Amino acid sequence: MTTTVGVPAGWPAGEEEARAVQDELRARVVVGEVGPEVGVGRVTGVDVAYDDERDVVVAAAVVLDAASLDVVAEATAVGRISFPYVPGLLAFREIPTVLAALDALPGDPGLVVCDGYGLAHPRRFGLASHLGVLTGLPTIGVAKNPFTFTYDEPGEPRGSSSPLLAAGGEEVGRALRTRAGVKPVFVSVGHRVSLERACAHTLALTPRFRLPETTRRADSLCRRALQEATIGQ
DNA sequence: GCGACAG
DNA sequence: ATCTTGTCGC
């Protein structure tokens, strides 16, 4: 199912306003819960693809059975680009369309896995935290790059990890090796999930590839949907 | 002030 | 993110 969305009323128009929204919403993040059990229920991946030329953004949400990793549902949404890409303000670019894709899903998404960061963010309120607060769903962030943070190389074996550190030494996430000898992914807490559990979910979602099946499925779906939404336009 | 910087 | 073919390797 595909739905179409515009930019929400009252959406921040500038960077200062957007940062103020983050500072405001940050207080609503729940960090005290362990989170859903690994391998139980459903896990949903969300991702977004852009065509800046045509001002089009497509989001995909793909629901997997947490035990088998089989796809049990999927949805896409097409929207207008609601914000430029600014490091630290990614959520304002992706969230409206991602919310529409999640809304189009039948049933409960379960744990939501985001392509980006949660707590590991300049103001400790990245995409995964933001999406969690707006939906109430448990969320985690799994990013492909360390952003502005530092880390020591984890051990070679799959499952090895090392702290992802902010300037000042605060642990904001983990560099997690999901494939032996391959560049780690960067896991951080979004909403209602502990870092420990977030890493366990990430490992359960990477039986074969570096990136979680959730983000791989969502990535390919939103790219396909962008092509289709863009043909002839 | 300059550079770096999730997607 | 996106521009982009073949190619090396399991």
Side-chain angles (χ1 to χ4, degrees):
Chain A
M1 177 182 183
T2 298
T3 59
T4 306
V5 291
V7 179
W11 202 242
E15 299 185 19
E16 264 186 60
E17 199 179 338
R19 289 189 193 97
V21 170
Q22 292 180 328
D23 288 333
E24 161 82 30
L25 292 181
R26 182 176 52 199
R28 301 195 207 168
V29 174
V30 172
V31 293
E33 294 181 27
V34 175
E37 258 183 81
V38 175
V40 176
R42 318 170 95 194
V43 189
T44 296
V46 293
D47 195 18
V48 168
Y50 304 96
D51 186 336
D52 289 272
E53 286 284 293
R54 293 162 176 149
D55 185 34
V56 173
V57 50
V58 174
V62 180
V63 185
L64 307 186
D65 177 86
S68 65
L69 304 187
D70 291 334
V71 176
V72 298
E74 52 184 39
T76 57
V78 180
R80 296 304 207 180
I81 293 178
S82 53
F83 212 85
Y85 173 65
V86 179
L89 300 178
L90 177 65
F92 295 94
R93 187 166 166 79
E94 305 210 331
I95 275 188
T97 317
V98 167
L99 284 176
L102 283 173
D103 282 345
L105 241 29
D108 179 34
L111 174 73
V112 178
V113 180
C114 298
D115 195 1
Y117 279 120
L119 228 191
H121 177 272
R123 286 166 297 284
R124 304 296 177 266
F125 194 72
L127 172 63
S129 318
H130 202 144
L131 190 62
V133 163
L134 294 190
T135 61
L137 297 168
T139 62
I140 66 174
V142 180
K144 299 181 282 297
N145 299 292
F147 201 9
T148 60
F149 306 105
T150 61
Y151 66 101
D152 290 325
E153 206 59 41
E156 291 294 292
R158 161 177 155 88
S160 305
S161 70
S162 58
L164 187 64
L165 303 173
E170 176 189 0
E171 181 177 12
V172 294
R174 216 104 88 185
L176 177 65
R177 190 88 69 187
T178 55
R179 304 298 303 159
V182 174
K183 174 179 176 173
V185 298
F186 304 90
V187 179
S188 62
V189 163
H191 185 60
R192 300 178 51 200
V193 185
S194 70
L195 181 55
E196 224 32 78
R197 185 59 61 89
C199 289
H201 278 290
T202 302
L203 284 173
L205 291 166
T206 50
R208 187 164 160 72
F209 300 104
R210 177 171 86 113
L211 297 180
E213 286 303 309
T214 37
T215 73
R216 288 168 43 79
R217 297 317 252 266
D219 180 76
S220 71
L221 178 56
C222 69
R223 289 186 195 227
R224 267 178 284 141
L226 178 63
Q227 292 307 316
E228 290 161 19
T230 261
I231 292 175
Q233 304 285 315

